[in-house]
Amino acid sequence: MSPALVFERISKHYGGTRALEDVSFTVEEGEILGLVGPNGAGKTTAMQIATGFLLASRGSGSLMGRRFGDAAARRQLGFVPDAPVFFSGNALDAMHFAAQLSDAAVTREEAERVLARVGLRELQRDVRRFSRGMQQRLALALALVHQPKVLILDEPASALDPEGVLEVRQLLKQLRTEGTAILLSSHQLSEVALVSDRIAFLHEGRLLRYGRLSDLLGPTEQMEIVLGSFVPDVEFLREWGEESAPGMWRVAPGETRRFLETAWTRGAVLVSVMPARGDLTELFLEWTRDGIRSEGAHA
């Protein structure tokens, strides 16, 4: 089976300015690829080429086996930009308009079901009066209304509160199990690490790192402990520090038993204990420094 999304040696230049240079990667069906890199790395340019909004200067690419920009391919694509803009009307109006753009028909019940799936139940108010977080949820619903095979998401949780971030994380994992291919770009690196199967790291338009997240992160000398049904008190946080991710702590192997006993006396439920992997934020900074040194060597 061919990948759902293919970049093959794609470059994009604006006169003498390089936005992308010789970038190749794929996104398989039922996979989430995290596209990361510092500001100006070329992430948004790559997404705009995949959606057909921009033409590559060189190279080729395909979406569901068809070239980027092909009308039939775009009907299988859902896209959430980093700054969505909406016309006047309520959420149901927006859903019906989005469905028509993809030549899809959607009933009121189907539209409400998708809106509920992203946690949005406000159906009557003008969407231009929505909060930024509600607009972010609506943008995701619009991308899903026609049941796309491929999702391209540029900062999909940027305006959401912690509960909304968790809901989006769970939704992306559900969509992956349903076979959706997802290209995700976000500055919330902990979220990228929690949902992505593979990572593509861009710097100055070049692909510096690409592979399975587990291989790129590598092991550390700590244990990763996930707890459920647990709200840490001040004393616990003073001794063990903040969570490295929601419900997750990193503990030295020799402290694992004492940590678990302390958490258990406070009513925590053990979800998992496993050797910890490297931190994506630390690797992000290391890869960025590598990219700067590499660029300097070619200057």
Side-chain angles (χ1 to χ4, degrees):
M1 183 180 298
S2 300
L5 181 66
V6 177
F7 267 61
E8 189 171 350
R9 307 196 68 176
I10 284 183
S11 298
K12 179 63 178 178
H13 296 166
Y14 298 96
T17 302
R18 179 187 73 201
L20 289 177
E21 189 68 44
D22 204 26
V23 171
S24 299
F25 61 79
T26 63
V27 187
E28 305 289 338
E29 294 184 26
E31 178 187 40
I32 301 177
L33 177 71
L35 188 63
V36 297
N39 292 335
K43 303 184 298 295
T44 297
T45 298
M47 291 185 161
Q48 290 178 340
I49 289 174
T51 57
F53 295 155
L54 285 178
L55 295 177
S57 302
R58 289 197 310 272
S60 61
S62 64
L63 180 71
M64 297 304 295
R66 297 175 178 268
R67 62 176 177 78
F68 292 151
D70 178 89
R74 289 178 70 166
R75 283 194 288 270
Q76 301 184 75
L77 170 67
F79 175 56
V80 175
D82 61 343
V85 178
F86 304 95
F87 296 111
S88 176
N90 62 36
L92 290 174
D93 294 332
M95 294 288 280
H96 285 292
F97 180 67
Q100 290 174 358
L101 289 177
S102 299
D103 293 334
V106 60
T107 66
R108 179 187 177 94
E109 291 73 20
E110 290 168 337
E112 290 180 356
R113 191 178 305 119
V114 176
L115 289 167
R117 194 175 190 188
V118 302
L120 189 61
R121 293 173 174 80
E122 174 57 71
L123 303 181
Q124 300 304 322
R125 196 190 328 169
D126 190 321
V127 299
R128 294 176 301 174
R129 297 182 180 275
F130 278 5
S131 68
R132 181 72 175 87
M134 291 173 66
Q135 289 186 342
Q136 196 75 38
R137 291 175 186 267
L138 178 58
L140 188 53
L142 298 180
L144 294 173
V145 67
H146 58 295
Q147 299 181 329
K149 299 290 187 182
V150 181
L151 273 178
I152 296 179
L153 309 176
D154 196 353
E155 299 289 347
S158 60
L160 298 180
D161 57 22
E163 180 181 3
V165 172
L166 177 60
E167 290 174 352
V168 168
R169 183 197 311 160
Q170 294 171 333
L171 175 59
L172 295 184
K173 290 181 177 180
Q174 291 170 1
L175 291 167
R176 175 174 57 191
T177 63
E178 294 167 9
T180 307
I182 302 173
L183 179 62
L184 167 68
S185 176
S186 176
H187 287 101
Q188 298 180 23
L189 296 181
S190 61
E191 287 303 310
V192 174
L194 285 171
V195 300
S196 298
D197 302 292
R198 290 190 293 159
I199 293 289
F201 180 82
L202 292 175
H203 185 273
E204 297 289 342
R206 295 185 181 274
L207 186 62
L208 293 190
R209 297 289 190 282
Y210 175 51
R212 293 197 64 81
L213 183 60
S214 57
D215 296 333
L216 292 174
L217 292 181
T220 69
E221 295 182 355
Q222 292 182 309
M223 301 300 292
E224 188 174 86
I225 302 175
V226 178
L227 302 175
S229 304
F230 182 54
V231 178
D233 55 34
V234 173
E235 184 180 348
F236 185 91
L237 293 174
R238 187 180 298 117
E239 181 174 6
W240 298 104
E242 298 283 349
E243 301 159 285
S244 60
M248 179 187 299
W249 275 264
R250 293 193 171 197
V251 180
E255 294 290 327
T256 300
R257 179 173 179 175
R258 191 168 68 86
F259 174 90
L260 292 174
E261 289 175 345
T262 305
W264 181 76
T265 60
R266 286 167 166 78
V269 175
L270 177 62
V271 176
S272 65
V273 179
M274 64 185 65
R277 294 282 175 176
D279 182 81
L280 184 57
T281 301
E282 295 175 358
L283 287 177
F284 181 99
L285 296 174
E286 177 184 330
W287 294 342
T288 300
R289 289 191 293 269
D290 289 347
I292 292 172
R293 287 194 292 268
S294 175
E295 290 299 314
H298 290 89

